[in-house]
């Protein structure tokens, strides 16, 4: 593996639309909508506009966990946003999330709709709204939120760094792959050391910290992300694997991983979720084709 020939940056950068890579067709250096398109609205208090990526899965797991606890107000409609087709640049979506990234949540339970964007903000908003999965005792709350924000700050190195250069870049380059593989393994070691001393990231209780970290780092050690499990020797992180298996056994986690999913076995894909019964009747093996 060798790097491309040396590159000298220009004095002023300009947008090269032919830069390549898996997501080149949706990446751009400007914000705002590209087209007019209103978002659909279902009948439940919470309207989620998302896709079954790690960031999207955080929120669907949280909602399913809240419902499992008996919080009827957490009923939700989950609408599929196909980011590869540019749905996130529709005017309705941009009105809910000006950053044009999934997930985006609209809470219609009050007199005026409340928009919430950024997955960590959504988890915190829901935890506070329903009084669940976020400790109230100051030290425990601080530990939980510290790990939540650790994930928000760390995962870009895993996804936009390692994942991009290892799996999605138009050519393999040794320097960025080595740089971000080193950082990803360091992060896994941080988690492994924490989980060696604590059942969950925040302490003895399952919290939004676990819900946030699991789709990224749990997915990595279980082999779902970037086809990189062998490359990163993820079996070495025994405590992360123990924790990931523990979360995978939770029924709400299993359901949350299915919502807005468009890859994998058709029986594991629930493109849209509007009722609890949809998990039994609306998966892709029952209503349509994959993708």
């Amino acid at each position: 593996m060798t790097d491309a020939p040396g590159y000298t940056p220009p004095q002023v950068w300009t947008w090269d639309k032919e830069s390549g890579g898996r997501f080149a067709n949706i990446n751009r250096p400007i914000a705002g909508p590209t087209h007019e398109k209103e978002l659909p609205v279902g009948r439940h208090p919470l309207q989620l506009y998302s896709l079954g990526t790690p960031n999207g899965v955080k929120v669907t797991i949280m909602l399913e966990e809240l419902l499992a606890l008996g919080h009827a107000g957490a009923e939700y409609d989950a609408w599929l946003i196909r980011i590869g087709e540019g749905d996130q640049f529709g005017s309705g979506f941009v009105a809910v999330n000006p950053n044009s990234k999934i997930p985006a949540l609209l809470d219609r339970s009050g007199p005026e709709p409340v928009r919430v964007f950024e997955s960590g903000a959504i988890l915190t908003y829901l935890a506070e709204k329903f009084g669940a999965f976020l400790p109230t005792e100051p030290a425990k709350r601080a530990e939980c939120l510290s790990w939540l924000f650790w994930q928000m700050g760390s995962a870009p190195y895993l996804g936009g760094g390692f994942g991009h250069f290892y799996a999605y870049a138009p050519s393999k380059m040794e320097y960025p792959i080595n740089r971000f593989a080193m950082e990803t393994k360091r992060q896994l070691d941080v988690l492994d050391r924490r989980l060696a001393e604590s059942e969950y990231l925040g302490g003895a209780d399952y919290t939004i910290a676990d819900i946030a970290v699991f789709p990224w780092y749990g997915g990595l050690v279980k082999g779902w992300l970037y086809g990189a499990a062998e490359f990163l020797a993820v079996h070495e992180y025994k405590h992360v694997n123990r924790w990931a298996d523990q979360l995978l056994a939770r029924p709400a986690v299993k359901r949350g991983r299915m919502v807005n999913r468009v890859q994998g076995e058709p029986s594991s894909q629930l493109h849209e979720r509007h009722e609890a019964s949809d998990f039994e009747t609306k998966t892709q093996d029952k209503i349509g084709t994959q993708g």
Side-chain angles (χ1 to χ4, degrees):
M1 182 187 298
T2 59
D3 290 352
Y7 166 68
T8 301
Q11 187 171 356
V12 177
W13 183 85
T14 56
W15 183 17
D16 178 5
K17 294 185 180 180
E18 304 301 324
S19 59
R22 178 170 170 180
F23 300 105
N25 66 318
I26 62 170
N27 291 333
R28 59 196 184 113
I30 55 176
T34 60
H35 58 281
E36 292 294 321
K37 184 177 181 181
E38 293 303 310
L39 291 173
V41 177
R43 68 181 184 87
H44 294 304
L46 300 175
Q47 300 295 300
L48 178 66
Y49 305 96
S50 192
L51 181 68
T53 66
N55 284 335
V57 167
K58 296 176 195 176
V59 179
T60 50
I61 288 176
M62 178 66 168
L63 290 166
E64 291 298 328
E65 292 281 15
L66 289 168
L67 290 170
L69 282 182
H71 293 287
E75 268 296 350
Y76 68 105
D77 292 278
W79 303 94
L80 182 61
I81 299 296
R82 294 185 181 271
I83 61 174
E85 298 175 12
D87 290 351
Q88 70 275 34
F89 300 120
S91 57
F93 189 90
V94 174
V96 179
N97 185 354
N99 196 37
S100 291
K101 303 289 185 182
I102 63 93
L105 180 73
L106 197 63
D107 182 356
R108 298 167 58 88
S109 63
E112 295 292 335
V114 175
R115 75 177 188 183
V116 195
F117 58 93
E118 291 297 322
S119 57
I122 295 173
L123 293 181
T124 305
Y125 177 83
L126 292 172
E128 292 180 339
K129 180 181 177 72
F130 293 103
F133 303 116
L134 178 58
T136 57
E137 191 275 322
K140 293 180 179 179
R141 179 183 176 87
E143 188 73 19
C144 171
L145 291 176
S146 293
W147 285 107
L148 171 65
F149 283 95
W150 176 89
Q151 185 277 315
M152 299 297 291
S154 297
Y157 291 96
L158 168 56
F162 174 76
H164 176 78
F165 286 104
Y166 184 80
Y168 301 141
S171 61
K172 302 295 184 187
M173 292 176 281
E174 184 176 12
Y175 174 77
I177 290 175
N178 282 347
R179 168 68 180 86
F180 290 113
M182 181 185 300
E183 175 61 11
T184 297
K185 287 184 71 67
R186 188 193 71 81
Q187 292 175 4
L188 285 169
D189 194 40
V190 169
L191 289 174
D192 207 57
R193 290 167 185 263
R194 171 58 177 167
L195 292 166
E197 64 185 18
S198 179
E199 183 174 5
Y200 297 105
L201 286 169
D205 298 320
Y206 174 65
T207 69
I208 56 174
D210 303 287
I211 293 171
V213 173
F214 169 77
W216 283 102
Y217 297 89
L220 188 64
V221 298
K222 296 288 85 174
W224 304 326
L225 295 186
Y226 314 124
E230 182 179 8
F231 180 75
L232 294 172
V234 297
H235 66 279
E236 297 174 349
Y237 306 100
K238 293 181 171 53
H239 302 290
V240 180
N241 274 281
R242 181 273 303 165
W243 165 84
D245 289 338
Q246 194 169 341
L247 266 63
L248 273 173
R250 298 179 69 92
V253 171
K254 294 177 182 177
R255 291 192 298 272
R257 291 190 61 233
M258 295 172 65
V259 180
N260 296 145
R261 186 174 183 178
V262 296
Q263 295 179 330
E265 291 295 325
S267 61
S268 73
Q269 298 181 38
L270 183 62
H271 286 191
E272 292 186 358
R273 186 269 192 212
H274 303 290
E275 306 291 344
S277 61
D278 291 347
F279 291 101
E280 305 298 327
T281 62
K282 299 291 180 63
T283 52
Q284 286 303 105
D285 60 317
K286 296 183 172 68
I287 68 167
T289 58
Q290 183 176 357

